[in-house]
């Protein structure tokens, strides 16, 4: 069990975090107009060579990198290089941002108004901003916010403008450009647009990567993008996408800059604007195409209370120190640097590890509200089919217990300690009154009423059992999206708890095998850094021993007297996922000639059937996110193969023996035998 | 060389050579008598050799008579702060000698936070008692005596040959710390003496370390502490004659112990030069140049040592290696000269070299160009290289070095000069809008016949103008080159006041020049901070050579070490990190300083395992018992 020192093993409770300041407070007390027109003089990168937007484009088009690809493409396609250059210029035109201070000022004004109505407060760690300012001065900076809402990048620019920091240029998905006016407005506030997929398009890739690199290297502006690639609909962090991270690390790896600072930013919403929208999307109601008019319809939202936002600017991470003794930079010595090359295995694994590290840094600084803990309790109660709900004081007791546990695990919990717990609980419940129902002092999820509200125009009597189920699912998935915010806190202990549960004996090695199996199984579901099984196991053991749940000696793992409650809680954390993956395996076992496209609708149908017949307990298994992750895991493990090309393009080839055995193992029917683990 | 043949051929050659000698003798001013007599006595076997050199030897056997034992250069030349607290350069040898340098003190104070109150004086004299008594191989010694070759095991002689000029070496000497030193010093007088010494060394299993000018900056002269055999330092300084000059082929055959300044001076007396001028040329020797693959500042006209050498004679434990003819180029398998050049004393002793010579240039002109920033300067040098019109020398200093050069301006006597200086400064910074904290300067040296030099000069200035360069006068240029010779003295001054530093070099392709300069300088600053250096370091660079495909860059790095318990260790860590940075960014391990023991650890990654194996097998064949046991390179 040789351990790589990727994470330092330290007590998560000792994590030092900065204090927050509410930036809306000043907005409520002074003129928004004056604020929008304030003198804006940010600190810039010390090596900056100032240039205009148009010069930037020229630099890209004249770069050696692009020149090389243009020549290549023109040879391949038999076009003149002028024609290809023209194409490149058009791509650039479609892509490029046109950051304008006036637009930013406009946004500053409007957003002030909007934010003040929507949110009680927007809390920022100002020390983080000071660190950021320092970082911007010293090195090119990449901002890496978490992505839970459309709001994220407007909010980021708003904060940076407010605190007189350099405004970023932001990589945004092309879908925004569909919204004509807004798209252009976003462009003028620093967004640049990239196509969602451009797989084989060499020219597009070259223009895009060169554009990003030139802005970064010259210190033109901090470059901002979302590591997760898209908004997480489940509030769990998504497996990081590596493309852009690879691009922004490249100038350092090739020696073109001394260092680059990566700044993870954690944005947590007490109530997500897109709450129900996400749930419906996960249930198969396709996401509405972004359109300007759609955005205005969202005006209804303005009348609601969305609590507060916490934005935590993390410690800047130096790419140089990440790469130290990890990457041999001299591998770039023998090929001219402007010739595009496929990154080596070494680089890919380095970028991948860094990405995980950064996402974990985002997770760690995500502020959790008491409601998140309540969501745990309520969902578990619901799954246990306690029809009459939970008494308020029981809920409070459980929440307090969970508060203490999560703090011991290092959660960044904002629980107002000066207020009696019962008040904390009731105020949380009242903010999320759409999701809960309180009657006669008992609390439960608002599963029944929702249907009528959310689907207007239909009479309640005509509702089918399937529709009723989906309506329940909307509430449950909404609620789960809050619970999920804290999953990262519990995931490693939960994996260990489940491993103890499924392992045949209490021998440490056996439990480790079981842990390793589960971890491997769920590494598409949670942020579990590839290759860090040993560290994760050690971290989990450490936490559970520290909190008095387990005693571990050389050979054995023993559960303490008071540990049972914790273990029961932790296993139930993982339970819905275990069941979900199990049902996906079951489903696949019964299939033949299924294509990847058919998978989601078919598995959804299958699950609905099982839920309706009561053979399946967890409604949240309906989440397409879980289903996709399960399939991805199975493909990764080789249990399912995607056939590429040919007539059967996209067909899934299934190894049913393996699927069966996996299903049983997940269900705890089979101990994780060596052979299974070895095979995986 | 036909030293052993006795045909008519030989006597013919002798006659011709004697004729030439009489011609050349006319140029010579005052031949010292007596010396040739001694030589004749000592080198009877080579009676037919002609010593065309006049007899003013720079380097005596007892180097301590004229040179510092714990610092750079001549004992009479050094920087110091006089009673008024002004910096002054003593002696009479250099243009700067005897002058006051008014700006130096302020520069030192502001750059390093140094202070005249905080002195770190060196140990004044060498305490012989701290020198380990010599481990002598009696049998070797006995036979050596019988050859009549001079030798010594005097402590001072041995200490002098135990080091080069790395910072840690000089620092230790200043503190009076002496490590392993050679046990014996021998002074062969000619090739045959060397043959005898090497034979004896092989016979008695004695370790030989060749010593030329002692200017190594790669720990190449350090005695390996693990060496248990008797170590003999083979000092070539007395093998310093020009044996013949061949005007038809423009070559000169020279003994390898001659130091650069003597070689140039003596050739100049005959109207020739080699044009090989490394910055250390006052003290470094021809054999050393060959052994380290040296480079001279005027290589653009004359070439580096590998371009200049026509024939090499080296004594190895296996015997003497040399080629049979002096053809200008040969296709006879891998060039054996390339086993010798860069062998750093691990294979044998270079005894005689035939070098190309050129008629002395009719006209020399210095020049300088100011650029708004370093990037423009590098772009200009690149363009000059692309057009292959580089002057004899072209060097580009960065902004910090430009300021440093400024601080070294001697006191000007006339108000008019200082007025002109002020005017120039005003013109550049105010009128042309150059940022004094970004501008940088290139120094130029043109050589050739007058008309061509002027034409060439115009071409270069025209290119410079395209990159925003402004001609900044001959004076600045000339001062730049003069400083190369005194800068080494300056380190000793720094060391008197808590400042330690050194320079190191590398070469890289053109497209990486700016990246390496930036990253290495930044790395130095960061490492100093990390290692607890209390004051910001001086971290500066200059491009000193241009090639078709790349350039050579020198870094200068120094810091104030007050508050550090082990400054040399910190220095070494930072230099190590800087070298790592160079390699990571595509720079070479060395352009011309060599590897020695200081940079050995990077050899394998530099030349690959197979490359190492090749070199190793050559070593194993040529010197199976590791007689040349300085353990450099491999």
């Amino acid at each position: 069990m040789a351990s790589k020192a990727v994470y330092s093993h330290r007590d998560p409770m000792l994590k030092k975090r900065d204090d927050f300041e509410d930036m809306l407070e000043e907005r409520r007390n002074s003129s928004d107009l004056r604020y929008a027109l304030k003198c804006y003089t940010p600190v810039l990168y010390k090596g900056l060579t100032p240039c205009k937007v148009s010069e930037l484009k020229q630099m890209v088009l004249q770069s050696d990198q692009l020149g090389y690809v243009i020549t290549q493409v023109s040879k391949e396609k038999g076009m003149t290089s002028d024609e290809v250059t023209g194409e490149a210029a058009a791509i650039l035109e479609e892509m490029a941002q046109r950051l304008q201070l006036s637009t930013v000022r406009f946004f500053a004004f409007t957003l002030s108004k909007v934010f003040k109505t929507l949110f009680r407060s927007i809390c920022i760690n100002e020390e983080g901003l000071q660190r950021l300012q320092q970082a911007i001065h010293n090195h090119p900076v990449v901002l890496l916010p978490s992505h839970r809402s459309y709001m994220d990048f407007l909010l980021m620019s708003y904060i940076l403008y407010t605190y007189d920091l350099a405004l970023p240029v932001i990589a945004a998905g092309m879908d925004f450009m569909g919204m004509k006016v807004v798209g252009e407005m976003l462009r003028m506030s620093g967004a640049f647009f990239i196509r969602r997929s451009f797989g084989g398009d060499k020219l597009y890739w070259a223009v895009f990567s060169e554009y990003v690199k030139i802005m970064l290297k010259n210190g033109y502006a901090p470059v901002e993008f979302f590591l997760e690639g898209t908004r997480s609909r489940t509030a769990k962090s998504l497996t990081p996408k590596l493309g852009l991270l690879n691009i922004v690390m490249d100038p350092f790896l090739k020696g073109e800059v001394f260092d680059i600072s990566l700044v993870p930013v954690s944005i947590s919403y007490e109530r997500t604007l897109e709450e129900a929208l996400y749930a419906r999307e996960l249930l198969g109601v396709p996401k509405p195409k972004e359109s300007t008019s759609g955005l205005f319809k969202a005006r209804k939202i303005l009348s609601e209370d969305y609590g507060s936002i916490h934005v935590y600017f993390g410690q800047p991470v130096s790419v140089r120190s990440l790469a130290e003794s990890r990457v041999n930079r001299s591998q770039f010595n023998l090929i001219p640097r402007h010739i595009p090359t496929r990154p080596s295995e070494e680089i890919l694994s380095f970028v991948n590890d860094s990405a995980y590290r950064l996402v974990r840094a985002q997770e760690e600084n995500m502020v959790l509200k008491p409601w998140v803990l309540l969501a745990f309790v309520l969902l578990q109660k619901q799954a246990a089919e306690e029809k009459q709900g939970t008494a308020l004081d029981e809920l409070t007791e459980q929440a307090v217990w969970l508060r203490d546990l999560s703090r011991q695990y290092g959660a960044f919990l904002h629980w107002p300690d000066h207020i009696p717990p019962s008040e904390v609980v009731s105020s949380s419940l009242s903010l999320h009154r759409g999701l809960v129902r309180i009657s006669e002092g008992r609390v439960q999820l608002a599963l029944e009423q929702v249907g009528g509200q959310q689907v207007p125009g239909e009479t309640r009597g005509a509702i089918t059992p399937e529709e009723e189920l989906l309506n329940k699912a909307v509430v449950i998935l909404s609620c789960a999206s809050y619970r999920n915010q804290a999953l990262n806190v519990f995931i490693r202990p939960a994996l260990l708890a489940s491993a103890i549960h499924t392992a045949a004996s209490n021998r440490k090695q056996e439990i480790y095998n079981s842990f390793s199996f589960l971890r491997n199984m769920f590494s598409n579901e949670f942020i579990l850094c590839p290759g860090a099984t040993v560290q994760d196991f050690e971290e989990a053991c450490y936490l559970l021993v520290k909190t008095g749940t387990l005693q571990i000696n050389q050979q054995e793992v023993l559960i303490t007297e008071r540990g049972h409650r914790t273990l029961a809680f932790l296993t139930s954390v993982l339970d819905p996922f275990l069941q979900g993956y199990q049902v996906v395996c079951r489903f696949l076992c019964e299939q033949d000639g299924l294509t990847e496209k058919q998978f989601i609708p078919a598995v959804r149908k299958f699950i609905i059937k099982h839920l309706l017949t009561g053979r399946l307990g967890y409604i949240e298994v309906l989440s397409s996110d879980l289903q996709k992750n399960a399939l991805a895991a199975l493909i990764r493990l080789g249990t399912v193969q995607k056939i590429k090309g040919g007539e059967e393009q996209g067909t899934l080839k299934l190894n049913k023996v393996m699927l069966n055995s996996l299903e049983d193992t997940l269900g705890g029917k089979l101990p994780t035998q060596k052979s299974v683990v070895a095979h995986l | 060389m036909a030293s052993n043949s006795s045909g008519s051929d030989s006597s013919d050659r002798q006659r011709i050579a004697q004729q030439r000698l009489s011609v050349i003798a006319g140029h010579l001013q005052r031949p010292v008598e007596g010396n040739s007599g001694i030589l004749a006595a000592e080198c009877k076997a080579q009676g037919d050799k002609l010593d065309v050199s006049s007899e003013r030897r720079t380097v005596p056997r007892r180097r301590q008579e004229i040179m510092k034992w714990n610092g750079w250069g001549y004992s009479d030349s050094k920087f110091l702060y006089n009673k008024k607290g002004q910096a002054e350069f003593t002696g009479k040898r250099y243009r700067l000698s005897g002058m006051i340098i008014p700006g130096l003190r302020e520069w030192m104070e502001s750059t390093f936070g140094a202070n005249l109150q905080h002195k770190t004086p060196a140990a004044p004299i060498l305490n012989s008692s701290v020198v380990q008594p010599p481990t002598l191989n009696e049998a070797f010694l006995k036979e050596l005596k019988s050859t009549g070759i001079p030798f010594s095991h005097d402590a001072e002689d041995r200490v002098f040959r135990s080091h080069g000029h790395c910072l840690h070496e000089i620092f230790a000497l200043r503190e009076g710390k002496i490590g392993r030193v050679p046990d014996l010093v021998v002074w062969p007088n000619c090739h045959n003496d060397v043959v005898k010494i090497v034979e004896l060394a092989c016979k008695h299993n004695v370790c030989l370390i060749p010593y030329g000018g002692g200017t190594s900056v790669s720990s190449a002269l350090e005695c390996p502490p693990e060496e248990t055999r008797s170590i003999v330092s083979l000092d070539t300084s007395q093998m310093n004659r020009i044996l013949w000059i061949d005007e038809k082929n423009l070559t000169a055959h020279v003994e390898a112990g001659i130091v650069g300044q003597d070689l140039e001076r003596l050739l100049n007396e005959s109207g020739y030069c080699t044009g090989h001028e490394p910055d250390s040329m006052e003290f470094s020797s021809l054999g050393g140049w060959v052994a380290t693959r040296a480079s001279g500042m005027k290589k653009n006209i004359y070439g580096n040592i590998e371009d200049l050498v026509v024939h090499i004679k080296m004594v190895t434990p296996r015997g003497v290696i040399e080629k049979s003819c002096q053809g200008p180029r040969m296709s006879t398998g891998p060039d054996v000269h390339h086993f010798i050049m860069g062998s750093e004393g691990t294979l044998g002793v270079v005894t005689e070299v035939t070098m190309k010579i050129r008629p002395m240039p009719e006209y020399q002109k210095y020049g300088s160009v100011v650029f708004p920033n370093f990037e423009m300067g590098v772009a200009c040098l690149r363009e000059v290289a692309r057009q292959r019109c580089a002057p004899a020398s072209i060097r580009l200093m960065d902004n910090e070095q430009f300021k440093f050069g400024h601080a070294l301006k001697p006191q000007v006597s006339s108000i008019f000069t200082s007025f002109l200086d002020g005017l120039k400064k005003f013109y550049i910074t105010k009128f042309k809008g150059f940022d004094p904290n970004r501008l940088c300067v290139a120094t130029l040296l043109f050589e050739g016949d007058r008309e061509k030099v002027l034409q060439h000069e115009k071409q270069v200035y025209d290119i410079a103008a395209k990159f925003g360069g402004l001609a900044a006068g001959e004076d600045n240029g000339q001062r730049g080159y003069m400083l190369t010779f005194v800068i080494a003295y300056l380190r000793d001054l720094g060391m008197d006041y808590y400042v330690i530093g050194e320079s190191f070099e590398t070469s890289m392709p053109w497209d990486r020049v700016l990246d390496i300069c930036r990253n290495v300088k930044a790395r130095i600053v960061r490492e100093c901070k990390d290692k607890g250096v209390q004051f910001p370091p001086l971290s500066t660079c200059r491009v000193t050579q241009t090639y078709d495909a790349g350039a050579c860059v020198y870094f200068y790095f120094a810091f104030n070490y007050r508050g550090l318990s082990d400054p040399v260790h910190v220095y070494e860590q930072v230099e190590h990190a800087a070298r790592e940075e160079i390699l990571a960014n595509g720079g070479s391990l060395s352009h011309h300083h060599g590897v020695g023991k200081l940079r050995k650890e990077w050899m394998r990654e530099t030349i690959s395992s197979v490359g190492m194996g090749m070199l190793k097998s050559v070593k194993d064949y040529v010197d199976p018992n590791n007689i040349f046991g300085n353990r450099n390179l491999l």
Side-chain angles (χ1 to χ4, degrees), chain A residues 137-208:
Chain A
H137 178 67
N138 289 333
H139 304 292
V141 163
V142 179
L143 289 167
L144 301 168
S146 60
H147 203 10
R148 301 288 174 268
S149 168
Y150 274 143
M151 199 87 113
D152 291 327
F153 79 78
L154 286 177
L155 179 63
M156 283 289 290
S157 298
Y158 181 78
I159 295 168
L160 296 176
Y161 171 78
T162 306
Y163 285 91
D164 231 14
L165 288 160
L167 287 165
V169 289
I170 308 125
M174 206 63 131
D175 26 11
F176 275 111
M177 259 186 42
M179 305 187 270
K180 283 225 172 64
V181 182
V182 175
E184 284 314 297
M185 293 272 294
L186 294 178
R187 210 191 267 285
M188 288 189 278
S189 60
F192 60 95
F193 296 102
I194 37 181
R195 298 180 190 160
R196 282 271 173 219
S197 58
F198 45 90
D201 193 340
K202 252 191 232 172
L203 188 64
Y204 191 88
W205 177 260
V207 173
F208 163 57

Side-chain angles (χ1 to χ4, degrees), chain A residues 42-61:
Chain A
V43 169
L44 300 171
Y45 173 49
K46 64 180 175 197
L48 173 77
T49 13
C51 66
K52 293 194 204 93
V53 167
S54 56
E55 289 170 331
L56 213 53
K57 287 185 193 164
Q58 275 314 304
M59 285 164 84
V60 175
L61 291 175

Side-chain angles (χ1 to χ4, degrees), chain A residues 20-24 35 38 40 104 107-108 111-112 115 122-126 128-129 132 143 145 151-168 224 265-269 309-313:
Chain A
F20 284 103
E21 302 286 334
D22 177 13
M23 67 181 285
L24 281 189
Y35 154 79
K38 73 174 181 154
Y40 168 76
V104 174
F107 269 112
L111 286 177
S112 294
F115 286 159
I122 298 177
C123 301
I124 319 287
N125 65 325
E126 288 184 351
L129 290 171
L132 176 61
L143 289 167
M151 199 87 113
D152 291 327
F153 79 78
L154 286 177
L155 179 63
M156 283 289 290
S157 298
Y158 181 78
I159 295 168
L160 296 176
Y161 171 78
T162 306
Y163 285 91
D164 231 14
L165 288 160
L167 287 165
E224 177 180 313
V265 183
S266 316
I267 308 175
S268 26
Y269 296 91
I309 304 175
H310 283 81
V311 183
Y312 195 96
F313 286 84

Side-chain angles (χ1 to χ4, degrees), chain A residues 255-256 320 332-333 337, chain B residues 511-512 515 518-519 581 586:
Chain A
E256 293 167 334
R320 175 174 279 270
F332 301 106
N333 288 355
R337 290 172 296 175
Chain B
D511 71 314
R512 293 177 193 258
D515 290 331
R518 175 198 340 98
N519 290 353
E581 191 64 32

Side-chain angles (χ1 to χ4, degrees), chain B residues 551-573:
Chain B
C552 167
V553 171
Y554 245 87
F555 292 94
Y556 291 82
F557 154 46
F559 62 88
N560 181 339
Y561 67 85
R562 273 178 63 209
L564 294 180
S565 59
D566 192 350
V568 172
H569 182 61
V570 170
Y571 171 80
E572 284 172 341
Q573 283 178 310

Side-chain angles (χ1 to χ4, degrees), chain B residues 1 8 95 101 112 203 315 327 345 369 418 473 518 522 544 549 612:
Chain B
M1 266 304 299
S8 59
R95 269 186 49 170
I101 304 111
F112 297 109
K203 185 172 165 194
V315 183
V369 181
S418 74
R518 175 198 340 98
T544 60
M612 283 291 273

Side-chain angles (χ1 to χ4, degrees), chain B residues 202-317:
Chain B
C202 291
K203 185 172 165 194
H204 299 288
N205 194 23
V206 162
C207 173
L208 285 180
I209 298 186
Y211 181 93
T215 57
S216 150
V217 282
S218 59
S219 301
L221 288 168
E222 261 176 25
C223 298
E226 65 270 35
E227 181 60 68
T228 51
R229 296 173 293 183
S230 180
I231 299 178
V232 174
S233 176
L234 192 155
D235 183 334
T236 59
S237 64
Q238 307 311 302
M239 298 166 52
N240 54 11
R241 285 148 295 201
I242 294 176
L243 297 175
W244 46 255
I245 291 173
D246 177 348
E247 286 170 303
K248 289 213 174 65
N249 294 308
L250 286 178
T251 53
H253 191 67
V254 188
E255 286 184 312
I258 194 164
V259 294
Q261 58 167 321
D262 288 355
L263 178 61
E264 285 314 283
R265 194 187 65 239
L266 295 174
L267 285 175
N268 290 354
E269 284 167 3
S270 321
Y272 294 104
C273 67
T274 64
H276 185 67
E277 296 184 13
D279 289 359
S280 60
M281 69 174 287
E282 289 173 282
F283 306 107
S284 58
S285 69
L286 172 54
W289 301 337
V290 171
T292 55
R293 298 182 61 88
S295 168
M297 113 187 158
K298 298 196 291 199
K299 73 92 194 154
N300 292 337
I301 294 183
Y302 301 97
N304 286 317
I305 195 72
E306 67 272 20
D307 311 309
L308 286 164
V309 156
V310 175
H311 184 269
I312 304 173
K313 197 192 266 189
M314 177 166 82
V315 183
T316 78

